[in-house]
């Protein structure tokens, strides 16, 4: 939810008029903004105290560089940037919608059609990311925004960090444990197969309202053990989509389907005779994606009949 600007927040960066704060993290602040051409954007500005450190500036620049390479209907596009500014900033298209995590927390798991549309849109997004030579590395419900038209993947911050997916000197890894692939914990090389594994975890979360490797385990180490040694709990996710999610959850990256194969197999579930899976997938997402309004709470007992 947007909040008013603070007294020391910038009011304008380049052609962008900053309107409100959207969020803040350890690396920077994100603002809602409008430019001189009436475009809406999300402006990410590095914290000023980090802008004096060359390694942080390089990481910020890598995030911009990788995000700019990705093009797709289900990925937020980079609109503008200034890496020479102090502090540096960049702008992606503003995605007006809640996160998948917020929606599922309020309403529970998605129904059959929107779940299918989500799975297909995210597979398309990963295919676009892979085609650009990028690995997102942090696909999770909080990084999927839901608009009336489509789900959209955002935030390439971890994808741009040096040494991602490898253990640090403190024994920690970068990512969100319940949605990470086994090789991210063991120091394996980054590959698109990581994003395919995360796709399976996100779709399973959307179906059941909980991660397939349970966050209730208490800490990241316990979740890591589950990812490495246990089978995921897919709950009520069954049928052909459940089988595809199970295949994408293979412990060995070589055994997982590619993102392009996910798109083809998902399209085949609804349009088996499609000659152009990519074009057909766009139509299928538009046809099946919807978010019904939440069901109002029901009284615990029916009201007495009117006299």
């Amino acid at each position: 939810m947007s909040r008013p600007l603070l007294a020391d927040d910038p009011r304008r960066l380049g052609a962008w008029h900053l309107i409100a704060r959207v969020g803040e993290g350890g690396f920077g602040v994100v603002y809602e903004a409008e430019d001189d051409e009436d475009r809406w954007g999300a402006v990410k500005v590095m914290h000023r105290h980090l802008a004096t450190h060359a390694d942080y500036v390089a990481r910020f620049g890598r995030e911009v560089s990788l995000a700019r390479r990705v093009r797709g209907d289900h990925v937020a596009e980079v609109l503008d940037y200034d890496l020479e500014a102090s502090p540096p900033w960049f702008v992606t298209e503003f995605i007006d919608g809640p996160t998948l995590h917020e929606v599922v927390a309020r309403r529970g798991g998605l129904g059959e059609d929107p779940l299918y549309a989500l799975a297909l849109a995210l597979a398309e997004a990963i295919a676009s990311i892979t085609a650009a030579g990028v690995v997102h590395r942090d696909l999770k419900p909080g990084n999927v925004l839901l608009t009336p038209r489509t789900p959209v993947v955002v935030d390439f911050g971890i994808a741009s960090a040096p040494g991602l997916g490898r253990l640090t000197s403190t024994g920690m890894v970068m990512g969100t444990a319940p949605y990470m692939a086994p090789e991210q914990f063991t120091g394996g090389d980054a590959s698109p197969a990581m994003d395919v594994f995360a796709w399976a975890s996100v779709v399973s979360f959307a179906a059941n309202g909980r991660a397939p490797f349970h966050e209730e385990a208490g800490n990241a180490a316990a979740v890591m053990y589950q990812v490495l040694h246990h089978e995921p709990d897919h709950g009520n996710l069954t049928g052909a989509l459940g089988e595809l999610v199970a295949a994408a959850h293979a412990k060995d990256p070589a055994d997982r389907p590619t993102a392009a194969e996910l798109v083809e197999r998902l399209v085949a579930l609804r349009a088996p005779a499609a000659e152009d899976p990519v074009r057909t997938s766009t139509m299928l997402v538009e046809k099946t994606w919807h978010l019904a309004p939440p069901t109002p709470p029901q009284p615990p007992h029916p009201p007495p009949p009117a006299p």
Side-chain angles (χ1 to χ4, degrees), residues 18-74:
L18 275 57
I19 297 170
R21 278 177 162 243
V22 176
E24 180 175 1
F27 210 75
V29 182
V30 179
Y31 301 92
E32 181 181 352
E34 184 180 14
D35 76 349
D36 297 334
E37 300 176 5
D38 297 326
R39 296 183 300 175
W40 288 90
V43 182
K44 184 173 183 178
V45 184
M46 178 184 280
H47 286 310
R48 190 171 294 277
H49 69 276
L50 297 180
T52 59
H53 298 273
D55 53 342
Y56 286 113
V57 174
R59 173 178 167 179
F60 194 82
R62 185 180 177 194
E63 177 180 356
V64 176
S65 175
L66 294 180
R68 287 180 62 208
R69 290 161 56 177
V70 181
R71 294 286 186 273
D73 292 336
H74 313 292

Side-chain angles (χ1 to χ4, degrees), residues 7 12 46 61 86 105 126 128 131 150 168 170 177 180 196 218 244 263 270:
R12 184 181 178 98
M46 178 184 280
S86 182
I126 298 171
S128 299
T150 183
T168 67
T170 59
M180 292 168 64
V196 169
L244 190 54
V263 173
R270 297 290 181 102

Side-chain angles (χ1 to χ4, degrees), residues 1-4 20-24 30 32 94 97-99 102 106:
M1 181 179 295
S2 297
R3 302 183 301 279
R21 278 177 162 243
V22 176
E24 180 175 1
V30 179
E32 181 181 352
F94 185 77
T99 68
E102 292 168 339
R106 289 199 309 263

